[in-house]
Amino acid sequence: MPQYKLCYFNLRGWAEPARQLFKLAHVEFEDVRIENGTPEWEALKPKTPFGQLPFLTVDGFEIPQSAAILRYLGRKFGYAGKTPEEEAWVDAIVDQFKDFVTPLRQIIMAQRGGDAAEIQRVKTDVFEPARYGFFKILNGILEKSQSGFLVGNSVTWADLVIADIITTMKKLGVFDVAAEGNKKLVQFREKVNAIPEIKEHNETRPDSVV
Amino acid sequence: MPQYKLCYFNLRGWAEPARQLFKLAHVEFEDVRIENGTPEWEALKPKTPFGQLPFLTVDGFEIPQSAAILRYLGRKFGYAGKTPEEEAWVDAIVDQFKDFVTPLRQIIMAQRGGDAAEIQRVKTDVFEPARYGFFKILNGILEKSQSGFLVGNSVTWADLVIADIITTMKKLGVFDVAAEGNKKLVQFREKVNAIPEIKEHNETRPDSVV
């Protein structure tokens, strides 16, 4: 088995689904956590492949970008879809999520700014329409799903990404699928988080808002 | 061979590298082009997988999201990298490009707005730092490349995506690698566009600014 090292900030964020994949696959990895804004990070930054985190090291070979890391590990460990068509849908769902990150970031930045009128404006004009569209897609996929997972008949790395962002959105106070009565997404998150390895990981991990 | 149908607006945009992949692989496909803002598109929109274009149809099976389509075709046709590690780098480069699309969109929107001060503000504060960072990464990759391609020793779908966006940025007037004297990227674009199938495709395609 190769030596894996996953390097990220001390957050769930873009690395958490990769940490969960290692746990799912019962594969050891070094979970390196860097504090943002420290001299340690400033010294490491220019040595990373793209000047940013996360990056994965596989026997010394570095892979940057969170989705590239997840796809690589998902395929190695058998959580990337079982056919080229399933793999394409896993990819498409995560890309759709990444498109949703831009409006999600906008509401987070507005919240940090603290201007109530601006928060409301971003929420009404930007975040809610994007959130509605994205969740409509997810609900449509889950309605057709026989397994309760997003793609095929077993868990994939797309499930881990989506279940985790639902948790993050609740923690941020920007959206709560349970409060909205979105049963499909509530059931979906519970299904993913009830997988024994994920349950144990989530109960013992260093937690964070994002 | 399956029946392929690629459905997109009448633009290069997010579909052009997929069209080029079909040409590279000498695989027939139906190049469906929809005019945006027409009743035809309004009628089609709710029937698409994610309410948007492009989507690919493979013997009736639909795949949305441009990078998912490109990866699927790239792997089918042998232009996705030759090892899992090469595939991960192809993915990572395209994800890095997709992160760059947000600031690229901001300068495009500012240009459309037509306010000179706002254009300058977005250019200085948003677009140029992002463009500098992204091109620094590309130059670093090309400096280490033995082949002149971004990953491995032959063309991949990441090369098609990056070569096309360099062309688009010039057409939009937001950045010209040749005017900047960026020899590595000029050579790279020329190398990709000199591949006979790409050359023929680019000379005969319906052209557009984006």
Side-chain angles (χ1 to χ4, degrees):
Chain A
M1 187 64 73
Q3 292 281 312
Y4 293 103
K5 187 167 82 170
L6 182 65
C7 194
Y8 190 55
F9 297 114
N10 189 19
L11 300 168
R12 289 184 299 112
W14 290 110
E16 193 64 14
R19 294 179 185 129
Q20 292 174 324
L21 267 183
F22 281 114
K23 297 300 173 71
L24 258 183
H26 298 267
V27 171
E28 291 291 318
F29 76 109
E30 193 182 341
D31 186 18
V32 181
R33 290 166 179 264
I34 313 277
E35 293 295 338
N36 202 352
T38 58
E40 186 190 9
W41 168 231
E42 291 308 316
L44 178 65
K45 193 173 180 174
K47 297 176 189 166
T48 66
F50 287 176
Q52 61 197 37
L53 301 179
F55 69 96
L56 175 72
T57 309
V58 187
D59 284 340
F61 182 84
E62 293 174 336
I63 299 172
Q65 275 286 355
S66 57
I69 292 168
L70 281 161
R71 188 175 300 105
Y72 176 85
L73 295 176
R75 291 179 64 197
K76 285 258 171 192
F77 301 159
Y79 299 98
K82 287 169 182 162
T83 64
E85 288 71 28
E86 284 191 10
E87 289 192 310
W89 266 83
V90 167
D91 292 347
I93 289 166
V94 174
D95 273 342
Q96 199 70 19
F97 159 65
K98 291 189 80 170
D99 288 348
F100 171 63
V101 168
T102 302
L104 179 59
R105 275 215 186 107
Q106 280 181 265
I107 188 76
I108 293 170
M109 295 312 286
Q111 284 183 338
R112 287 189 189 159
D115 178 335
E118 176 64 5
I119 294 170
Q120 194 54 51
R121 188 195 68 77
V122 173
K123 191 170 180 176
T124 307
D125 295 352
V126 180
F127 177 72
E128 268 306 312
R131 201 275 314 159
Y132 175 81
F134 180 54
F135 279 21
K136 191 178 165 193
I137 289 169
L138 294 178
N139 274 304
I141 292 169
L142 290 172
E143 269 164 30
K144 289 183 201 160
S145 168
Q146 307 273 313
S147 65
F149 294 113
L150 290 165
V151 181
N153 61 11
S154 57
V155 66
T156 67
W157 62 274
D159 295 308
L160 302 182
V161 168
I162 302 302
D164 204 60
I165 195 65
I166 293 172
T167 299
T168 297
M169 286 169 68
K170 186 183 176 188
K171 283 173 180 271
L172 283 166
V174 299
F175 196 80
D176 181 352
V177 289
E180 195 214 17
N182 190 322
K183 285 185 192 166
K184 282 276 173 206
L185 281 174
V186 169
Q187 282 167 6
F188 165 75
R189 183 183 52 179
E190 285 174 2
K191 186 177 176 75
V192 173
N193 289 339
I195 296 169
E197 291 87 349
I198 301 294
K199 186 168 186 289
E200 190 195 333
H201 172 79
N202 290 357
E203 284 170 358
T204 56
R205 67 185 172 188
D207 207 357
S208 56
V209 173
V210 294
Chain B
M1 188 64 72
Q3 292 282 313
Y4 293 104
K5 187 167 81 170
L6 181 65
C7 194
Y8 190 56
F9 298 114
N10 189 19
L11 300 168
R12 290 184 298 111
W14 290 110
E16 193 65 14
R19 296 179 184 127
Q20 292 174 325
L21 268 183
F22 281 114
K23 298 300 173 72
L24 258 183
H26 298 266
V27 171
E28 291 291 316
F29 76 109
E30 193 181 341
D31 186 17
V32 181
R33 291 165 178 264
I34 313 277
E35 292 295 339
N36 202 353
T38 59
E40 186 190 10
W41 167 229
E42 292 307 317
L44 177 66
K45 192 173 179 174
K47 296 176 189 164
T48 65
F50 287 175
Q52 61 197 37
L53 300 179
F55 70 95
L56 175 72
T57 308
V58 187
D59 284 341
F61 182 84
E62 294 174 335
I63 298 172
Q65 275 286 355
S66 57
I69 293 167
L70 281 161
R71 188 176 300 105
Y72 176 85
L73 295 175
R75 291 178 65 195
K76 286 260 172 193
F77 300 159
Y79 299 97
K82 287 169 183 165
T83 64
E85 289 70 29
E86 283 190 11
E87 290 191 311
W89 266 83
V90 168
D91 292 346
I93 289 165
V94 174
D95 273 341
Q96 199 70 19
F97 159 64
K98 291 188 80 169
D99 289 347
F100 173 63
V101 169
T102 303
L104 179 59
R105 274 214 186 108
Q106 280 181 264
I107 189 77
I108 294 170
M109 295 312 287
Q111 283 183 339
R112 286 189 190 161
D115 177 335
E118 176 64 4
I119 294 170
Q120 194 55 49
R121 189 195 67 77
V122 172
K123 191 169 182 179
T124 306
D125 295 353
V126 180
F127 177 73
E128 268 305 313
R131 200 275 313 158
Y132 176 82
F134 181 54
F135 278 22
K136 192 179 164 192
I137 289 168
L138 294 178
N139 274 305
I141 292 169
L142 290 172
E143 268 163 33
K144 289 183 202 160
S145 168
Q146 306 273 313
S147 65
F149 293 114
L150 290 166
V151 181
N153 59 12
S154 57
V155 66
T156 67
W157 62 274
D159 295 308
L160 303 181
V161 169
I162 301 302
D164 203 59
I165 195 64
I166 292 171
T167 299
T168 296
M169 286 168 68
K170 185 183 176 186
K171 282 173 181 270
L172 283 166
V174 299
F175 197 79
D176 182 352
V177 289
E180 194 214 18
N182 189 324
K183 284 185 192 167
K184 283 275 171 204
L185 282 173
V186 169
Q187 283 167 6
F188 165 75
R189 182 182 53 180
E190 283 173 4
K191 185 176 176 76
V192 172
N193 289 339
I195 296 169
E197 291 89 347
I198 301 295
K199 186 168 187 286
E200 190 194 334
H201 173 79
N202 290 357
E203 284 170 359
T204 57
R205 67 185 174 187
D207 208 357
S208 56
V209 174
V210 295

